[in-house]
């Protein structure tokens, strides 16, 4: 990073001052007070990082480097510190944590104070509010961005996000209207506990609180009237739509080309009772698979579901692929090659959520898949609702992620690995996991059958 965390914190404090103290005047003028305030916020964040112990997250390291660039820009006459401020805010947002999202929002506030007509500053503020679950406030910021954004193509993602946030809020409004209409027709009045749950529910709540309040409201209303009641059925539909909208944007048909979004329940049904094989992309496997009448080609063809991972370098373009899985890597995963290989279903693993969304919009090819994994399937290893592993174990291969996901679903009749030896071998940690679940290995050592 060019300097230690302690050294950077010292530089920030020297320019911006410590929390609660005014910044020192600088000869010949100096950075705007909003920039100094932003630097003090960065200094607070650096101080918290230093107190937390050794840094192991690469995204955190990139954020520190970005703060270093902002510090340099603020202390260099003629440097464009505003752009450095926006980059730091975006890097904070990309880091993925709640504290980092709060930092991004605070930096966005300073940026809008500096330049009230900056489309980048309002976009950053909207994204930060969105990440913090403050959807109604995010809509206001996004609208300010659109008011100064002249590029129609660049506006589409923001317009789509506004539509999603509004649609989620509309589901809550309709649920409350449905409750009030029912309460007016009930002779004894609505149950006090249900009325309290309805009073707590609002589209203006942060997303996590709204989900909790909506869940409680649906649970109590169902217990009161039963699942067969028409109003309760409609309420359950609104609740399900609200949850889906909270997890992903509705995507225009031209993007997916008619493909159906698929979540955990849909994937479980897709693989239920079927034999599944994961085929490695190696020259040896590809050559044998393409050879007419080869035993390996016949073996693969005998499975109900053929899974292939990541970008194919050796496998023939026409090779059967029922499920394609890939993992987003690098800082700009949306800039990779488009996924034009035909597949029945496509799963894309990646984090953070904004990068995952942008990658799907940039790399999916209309008509190249019938189903696309939704946001509930984007990080199965670390999602608490699925496997919930700690992120400190290091990056996992796509094949291992698929294996763990299929093992978690527990519905395939059989899962086999084909060709995962030599260059395609799994990491020691992954091989150990596979080894504890291996039922048998065939004589050619190209197939591992999991129990």
């Amino acid at each position: 990073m060019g300097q230690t965390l302690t050294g950077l914190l010292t530089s920030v404090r020297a320019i911006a001052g410590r929390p609660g103290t005014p910044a020192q005047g600088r000869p010949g003028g100096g950075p705007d007070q909003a920039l100094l305030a932003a630097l003090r916020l960065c200094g607070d964040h650096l101080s918290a990082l230093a107190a937390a112990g050794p840094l192991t997250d690469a995204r955190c390291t990139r954020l520190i480097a970005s703060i270093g660039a902002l510090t340099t820009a603020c202390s260099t006459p003629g440097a464009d510190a505003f752009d450095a401020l926006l980059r730091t805010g975006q890097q904070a947002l990309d880091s993925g944590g709640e504290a980092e999202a709060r930092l991004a929002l605070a930096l966005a506030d300073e940026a809008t104070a500096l330049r009230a007509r900056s489309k980048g500053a309002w976009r950053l503020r909207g994204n930060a509010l969105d990440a913090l679950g403050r959807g109604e406030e995010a809509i206001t910021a996004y609208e300010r961005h659109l008011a100064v954004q002249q590029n129609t193509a660049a506006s589409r993602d923001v317009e789509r996000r506004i539509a999603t946030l509004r649609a989620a809020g509309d589901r809550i409004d309709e649920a409350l209207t449905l409750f009030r209409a029912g309460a007016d027709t009930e002779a004894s009045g609505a149950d006090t506990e249900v009325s309290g749950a309805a009073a707590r529910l609002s589209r203006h709540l942060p997303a996590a609180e709204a989900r909790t309040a909506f869940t409680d409201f649906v649970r109590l209303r169902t217990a009161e009237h039963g699942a067969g009641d028409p109003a309760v059925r409609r309420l359950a539909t609104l609740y399900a739509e609200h949850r889906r909208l909270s997890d992903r944007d509705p995507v225009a048909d031209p993007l997916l080309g008619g493909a159906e979004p698929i979540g955990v329940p849909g994937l479980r049904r897709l693989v239920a009772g079927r034999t599944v094989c994961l085929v490695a992309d190696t020259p040896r496997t590809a050559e044998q698979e393409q050879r007419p009448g080869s035993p390996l080609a016949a073996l693969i063809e005998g499975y109900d579901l053929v899974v292939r991972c990541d970008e194919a370098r050796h496998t023939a373009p026409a090779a059967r692929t029922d499920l394609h899985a890939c993992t987003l890597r690098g800082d700009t995963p949306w800039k990779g090659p488009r996924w034009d290989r035909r597949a029945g279903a496509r799963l894309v693993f990646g984090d953070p959520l904004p990068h995952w969304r942008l990658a799907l919009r940039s790399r999916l090819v209309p008509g190249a898949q019938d189903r696309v994994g939704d946001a509930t399937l984007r990080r199965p290893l670390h999602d608490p609702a699925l496997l919930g592993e700690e992120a400190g174990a290091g990056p996992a291969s796509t094949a291992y992620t698929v294996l763990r996901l299929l093992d978690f679903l527990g519905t395939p009749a059989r899962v086999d690995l084909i060709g995962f030896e030599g260059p395609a071998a799994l990491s020691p940690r992954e091989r150990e996991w596979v080894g504890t679940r291996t039922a048998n290995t065939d004589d050619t050592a190209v197939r591992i059958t999991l129990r």
Side-chain angles (χ1 to χ4, degrees):
M1 291 189 303
Q3 56 183 316
T4 65
L5 178 57
T6 303
L8 176 57
L9 180 56
T10 301
S11 299
V12 169
R13 297 296 192 220
I15 297 172
R18 295 184 174 275
T21 63
Q24 297 294 320
R26 299 178 70 248
D32 189 284
Q33 288 300 312
L35 282 173
L36 295 176
L39 266 185
R40 284 194 289 274
L41 292 166
C42 291
D44 295 343
H45 191 75
L46 291 174
S47 181
L49 290 177
L55 300 175
T56 57
D57 191 333
R59 290 177 297 184
C60 182
T61 303
R62 289 193 290 270
L63 172 57
I64 294 170
S66 187
I67 293 174
L70 174 60
T71 306
T72 301
C74 287
S75 60
T76 304
D80 190 350
F82 184 79
D83 282 352
L85 173 61
L86 293 184
R87 284 194 296 271
T88 303
Q90 187 59 51
Q91 189 61 63
L93 196 59
D94 290 346
S95 296
E98 183 177 350
E100 286 73 18
R102 288 197 300 268
L103 173 62
L105 176 58
L107 296 182
D109 287 341
E110 301 302 337
T112 55
L114 278 167
R115 298 184 188 177
R117 291 187 56 79
S118 167
K119 59 180 181 289
W122 286 110
R123 177 71 179 269
L124 176 62
R125 190 171 198 277
N127 288 343
L129 288 164
D130 205 348
L132 290 167
R134 294 159 60 177
E136 295 299 311
E137 296 174 82
I139 289 174
T140 301
Y142 284 145
E143 288 175 336
R144 293 290 299 270
H145 164 81
L146 292 177
V148 294
Q149 173 62 270
Q150 303 299 317
N151 187 333
T152 303
S155 300
R156 288 172 187 154
D157 284 350
V158 176
E159 291 169 347
R160 188 159 39 235
R161 187 58 187 157
I162 289 174
T164 299
L165 293 170
R166 282 187 173 144
D170 290 345
R171 300 312 188 270
I172 292 177
D173 286 348
E174 184 177 343
L176 292 174
T177 300
L178 192 67
F179 167 73
R180 286 189 286 267
D184 290 341
T185 61
E186 293 171 9
S188 60
D191 180 86
T192 303
E193 192 175 6
V194 178
S195 298
R200 289 191 296 273
L201 180 59
S202 169
R203 70 184 297 155
H204 299 285
L205 287 173
E209 294 179 29
R211 282 194 295 270
T212 300
F214 208 165
T215 301
D216 290 343
F217 178 57
V218 172
R219 175 179 56 81
L220 292 169
R221 199 65 171 157
T222 303
E224 183 182 30
H225 290 281
D229 182 80
V232 171
R233 288 203 301 271
R234 177 57 184 162
L235 180 62
T237 299
L238 292 170
Y239 174 73
E241 290 175 357
H242 179 268
R243 291 301 299 264
R244 282 196 295 271
L245 289 165
S246 298
D247 288 335
R248 65 173 184 268
D249 294 344
V251 185
D253 181 69
L255 177 65
L256 297 182
E260 172 193 355
I262 184 173
V264 174
L267 182 61
R268 182 178 281 115
R269 289 192 297 270
L270 178 66
V271 301
R274 308 181 78 179
T275 56
V276 181
C277 69
L278 276 72
V279 182
D281 180 42
T282 65
R284 178 172 175 267
T285 302
E287 188 274 328
Q288 292 187 31
E289 188 179 1
Q290 294 176 57
R291 189 186 307 158
S294 72
L296 184 62
L299 174 67
I300 293 173
E301 191 58 34
Y303 287 90
D304 297 322
L305 205 67
V306 177
V307 181
R308 303 182 194 272
C309 299
D310 298 316
E311 183 181 356
R313 292 179 172 82
H314 308 288
T315 306
R320 174 186 164 195
T321 305
D322 300 304
L323 191 153
H324 173 243
C326 59
T327 302
L328 303 178
R329 314 280 187 190
D331 293 338
T332 55
W334 54 88
K335 294 183 179 180
R338 303 192 75 192
W339 299 307
D340 55 2
R341 177 181 290 269
R342 176 65 191 166
R346 200 176 310 279
L347 301 181
V348 180
F349 306 130
D351 206 28
L353 181 59
H355 287 188
W356 178 84
R357 284 190 180 126
L358 184 55
L360 258 63
R361 291 168 183 157
S362 303
R363 298 177 64 181
L364 284 176
V365 175
Q369 56 279 311
D370 301 318
R371 300 179 180 88
V372 178
D374 68 13
T376 63
L377 289 168
R378 69 183 178 87
R379 51 193 296 268
L381 291 182
H382 308 310
D383 189 336
L386 297 176
L387 294 166
E389 289 188 349
E390 294 292 333
S397 69
T398 303
Y400 179 68
T401 302
V402 172
L403 283 173
R404 292 296 307 275
L405 180 58
L406 294 175
D407 183 65
F408 170 81
L409 296 175
T411 56
R414 190 168 94 188
V415 179
D416 292 357
L417 291 168
I418 295 180
F420 283 86
E421 75 278 346
L426 303 173
S427 70
R429 174 175 69 97
E430 296 171 351
R431 286 201 304 272
E432 180 182 359
W433 183 89
V434 170
T436 62
R437 289 158 176 80
T438 299
N440 65 279
T441 303
D442 70 2
D443 293 337
T444 58
V446 297
R447 182 172 68 175
I448 299 172
T449 301
L450 299 183
R451 287 191 290 269

